[in-house]
Amino acid sequence: MKPLIAPSILSADFARLGEDVSAVLDAGADIIHFDVMDNHFVPNLTIGPMICKSLRDFGIQAPIDVHLMVEPVDNIIPDFAGAGANYITFHPEASRHVHRTIGMIHDNGCKAGLVFNPATPLDWLEHVLEDLDIILLMSVNPGFGGQKFIDSSLSKLETVRKLIDQSGKEIRLEIDGGVKVDNIKNIAAAGADTFVAGSAIFGSLDYSATIAKMKAEIKAARTGS
Ligand code: DX5
Ligand code: ZN
């Protein structure tokens, strides 16, 4: 599957969000990662459907990957679908009825994903893997940008990579947290194909150069060079 670079707008300049998102897309980003935090499921408060719609109204056409860190989940799904989301991912701990929530995301015309915190077991996948379009592994504890990549995420990626391959389904494997130019090669080698990076991209002086370096590292992992 084509690798996708997904800058997390948590580290963007919120005072000029439309322009910063346009800039990162012009610099080669593939999709926009949109972190939604509620100061309840995670200890931080960010942005909701109105901001997603504002980006669409501004003219942003790239896929928007909404990462819900909210509890409860279900009632905000139609709002994000109406606001222009393409992917909606949620944490299984935040939904009483995980299978129903996945169905709601699909019924609202979006691609659905489950998100696993570093200590969350993968057992949830046993019964719903084939219903998913994307699986997101957190390589930091959710809530903040700029944290250090947790190394045990690499073996978890390898495990999920095998499960996806065994299923024969087109399911993306996304990684989120502490992804940088200098570790993305190992992350790609472990099986990720969708790479969220917030501080590493928005904190760099030259978005194009950073994204180009990330893409080169991913290519090197794939070709074994
Ligand atoms: C953390 C968020 C991440 C965050 C990643 O809860 O889900 O998307 O923005 O930021 P970096 O890439 O700086 O670790
Ligand atoms: Zn995220």
Side-chain angles (χ1 to χ4, degrees), residues 8 10-11 33 35 37 67 69 138 140-147 176-180 196-200:
S8 160
L10 192 60
S11 293
H33 186 77
D35 287 304
M37 305 183 184
H67 174 191
M69 288 161 275
M138 293 305 301
V140 297
N141 287 295
F144 303 96
Q147 302 181 80
D176 183 6
V179 176
K180 311 276 175 209
V196 177
S199 50

Side-chain angles (χ1 to χ4, degrees), residues 24-194:
V24 89
L25 289 167
D26 290 346
D30 302 292
I31 66 174
I32 294 301
H33 186 77
F34 192 104
D35 287 304
V36 185
M37 305 183 184
D38 66 352
N39 190 35
H40 168 70
F41 183 67
V42 292
N44 201 353
L45 187 64
T46 59
I47 46 178
M50 281 167 47
I51 308 291
C52 187
K53 182 169 184 302
S54 297
L55 288 176
R56 289 301 187 211
D57 292 345
F58 184 79
I60 300 299
Q61 291 179 349
I64 296 181
D65 169 31
V66 172
H67 174 191
L68 293 180
M69 288 161 275
V70 303
E71 186 181 6
V73 178
D74 292 0
N75 51 2
I76 205 143
I77 290 170
D79 298 351
F80 268 109
N86 300 89
Y87 292 87
I88 298 181
T89 65
F90 67 99
H91 292 247
E93 302 94 328
S95 169
R96 286 273 175 96
H97 307 283
V98 169
H99 184 271
R100 176 182 290 152
T101 302
I102 294 167
M104 277 187 69
I105 295 171
H106 286 145
D107 290 347
N108 279 275
C110 295
K111 293 184 173 161
L114 270 190
V115 191
F116 293 85
N117 280 338
T120 302
L122 297 168
D123 304 14
W124 301 90
L125 291 177
E126 195 177 333
H127 300 289
V128 296
L129 182 131
E130 303 214 343
D131 299 313
L132 298 174
D133 304 290
I134 188 162
I135 296 168
L136 169 50
L137 297 190
M138 293 305 301
S139 39
V140 297
N141 287 295
F144 303 96
Q147 302 181 80
K148 188 179 176 306
F149 184 89
I150 296 170
D151 285 326
S152 59
S153 312
L154 292 174
S155 60
K156 207 169 180 184
L157 273 174
E158 286 169 3
T159 302
V160 179
R161 177 82 266 154
K162 281 192 199 119
L163 292 174
I164 291 173
D165 290 350
Q166 281 161 11
S167 78
K169 298 263 175 181
E170 294 261 301
I171 302 169
R172 286 207 161 266
L173 179 49
E174 184 173 33
I175 187 83
D176 183 6
V179 176
K180 311 276 175 209
V181 169
D182 63 10
N183 63 9
I184 202 166
K185 186 175 174 186
N186 286 342
I187 294 167
D193 54 40
T194 306

